[in-house]
């Protein structure tokens, strides 16, 4: 899935839309003490009152909020076993069966099995409410230039889906309230746990959508916190393959570059490497039509980027050895968007004992580390006088 697909389905979680229909909702209350189901209920989503529907819509949007590689991760299912008994508990089979069945009892049974997988051999600190919905997502086909008067909803892609959200509960705080009937102040004695629907601790969407078609071999996993996916959940509950976060990819790229050219680099070369990757992204942005696939950096692209950035003595063999040493996989492809700092903010951090400086990657070439009278100095080329606490700094001729 790409960010546009996610954003499109996310915006339709609202009342009154005709492009997304939720058929059934199934809620499971898990007690933290026992990790067992305390209560469960399945019902048509339309039977919920309007206020409850709005709360769930907000919750589902939260599940699908965040950036790919940071909070959302497309996970590939591991191959199912040749053992039929093992396959019965494989998440892909459970979810696929739940999606295909017309029997509400079977749907509920399959989602119950998924809920129990989530708490098996894992203890949550607070009671947990797991919500499953089953529905249909409709996406209009792309209009041709000749279709000037046709309704964009005449033809749509229809994709059935299952979305899951996991939400912890909190006990209400004791408070002082005013009773209008008795006309007196009282302490609040409400003990009903509050389901924290605004901060889901996890979830997923099945299946993924690729080129407007369902991809049942992948599932979109939603982490509770940025760059902190639950690897146990991905591998043991979703039966998915290992994933890399955007932060992981950035670290891997840095280690590969160090392996190829060493630990030291001048600012102009580093700026050139970042510029080359940024240009790749801009070209893709200008050329994209239907989707927004991000360019990938494999060994060949990394070699090209480093050479274009000005790195000396780069070879195919060096880059492949670096991939093999760092990743143990010469075929790995990194998301180019993960490894380059943001060009829309001062995302480059320069740290020294004297000061910490933040600059835009485009301005990195104007920063140099130099030696003046045997002392290490940071030189920043500027186009105007520098101001410090309202004072204009005097220019000093130190460098010949």
């Amino acid at each position: 899935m790409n960010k546009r697909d996610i954003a499109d389905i996310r915006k339709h979680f609202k009342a009154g839309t005709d492009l997304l229909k939720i058929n059934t909702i199934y809620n499971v209350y898990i007690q933290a003490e026992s990790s067992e189901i305390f209560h469960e209920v399945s019902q048509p989503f339309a039977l919920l009152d309007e206020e409850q529907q709005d709360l769930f819509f907000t919750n589902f949007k939260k599940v699908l909020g965040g950036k790919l590689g940071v909070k959302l991760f497309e996970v590939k299912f591991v191959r199912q076993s040749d053992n039929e008994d093992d396959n019965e508990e494989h998440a892909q089979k459970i979810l696929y069966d739940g999606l295909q069945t017309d029997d509400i009892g079977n749907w509920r049974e399959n989602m119950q099995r998924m809920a129990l997988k989530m708490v098996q051999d894992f203890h949550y600190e607070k009671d947990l409410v797991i919500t499953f919905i089953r529905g249909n997502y409709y996406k209009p086909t792309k209009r041709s230039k000749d279709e000037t008067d046709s309704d964009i909803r005449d033809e749509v892609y229809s994709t059935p889906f299952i979305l899951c959200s996991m939400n912890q509960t909190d006990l209400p705080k004791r408070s002082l309230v005013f009773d209008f009937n008795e006309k007196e102040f009282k302490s609040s004695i409400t003990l009903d746990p509050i389901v924290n629907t605004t901060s889901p601790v996890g979830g997923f969407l099945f299946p993924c959508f690729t080129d407007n078609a369902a991809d049942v071999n992948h599932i979109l996993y939603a982490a509770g916190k940025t760059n902190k996916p639950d690897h146990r959940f991905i591998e043991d509950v979703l039966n998915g393959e290992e994933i890399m976060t955007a932060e992981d990819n950035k670290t891997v790229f840095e280690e590969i570059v160090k392996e190829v050219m060493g630990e030291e680099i001048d600012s102009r070369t580093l700026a050139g490497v970042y510029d080359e990757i940024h240009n790749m992204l801009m070209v893709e942005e200008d050329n994209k039509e239907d989707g927004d696939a991000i360019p990938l950096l494999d060994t060949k692209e990394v070699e090209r980027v480093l050479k274009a950035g000005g790195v000396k003595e780069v070879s195919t063999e060096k880059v492949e050895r670096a991939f093999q040493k760092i990743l143990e996989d010469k075929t790995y492809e990194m998301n180019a968007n993960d490894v380059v700092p943001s060009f829309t903010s001062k995302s480059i951090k320069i740290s020294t004992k004297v000061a910490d400086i933040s600059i835009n990657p485009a301005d990195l070439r104007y920063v140099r580390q130099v030696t003046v009278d045997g002392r290490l100095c940071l030189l920043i080329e500027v186009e105007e006088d520098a101001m410090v606490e309202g004072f204009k700094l005097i220019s000093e001729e130190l460098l010949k």
Side-chain angles (χ1 to χ4, degrees), residues 295-353:
L296 300 176
L297 294 171
D298 56 10
T299 55
K300 291 182 179 180
E301 279 299 299
V302 169
E303 179 185 355
R304 186 192 64 78
V305 163
L306 294 181
K307 286 181 177 179
V311 178
K312 306 299 183 182
E313 299 180 0
V314 179
S315 66
T316 301
E317 292 74 18
K318 275 188 176 182
V319 176
E320 288 182 349
R321 281 200 303 269
F323 267 72
Q324 187 63 36
K325 181 177 180 180
I326 305 302
L327 291 163
E328 298 183 354
D329 182 6
K330 291 190 293 185
T331 65
Y332 185 74
E333 298 174 320
M334 287 171 281
N335 188 322
N337 201 39
D338 293 345
V339 304
V340 65
S342 171
F343 272 67
T344 60
S345 65
K346 295 181 178 181
S347 57
I348 294 283
K349 310 298 180 185
I350 303 173
S351 299
T352 71
K353 186 176 181 180

Side-chain angles (χ1 to χ4, degrees), residues 376-391:
L376 211 57
C377 299
L378 195 66
L379 176 66
I380 304 177
E381 181 182 337
V382 295
E383 296 180 350
E384 66 286 316
D385 291 320
M387 303 294 294
V388 178
E389 296 294 330
F391 293 94

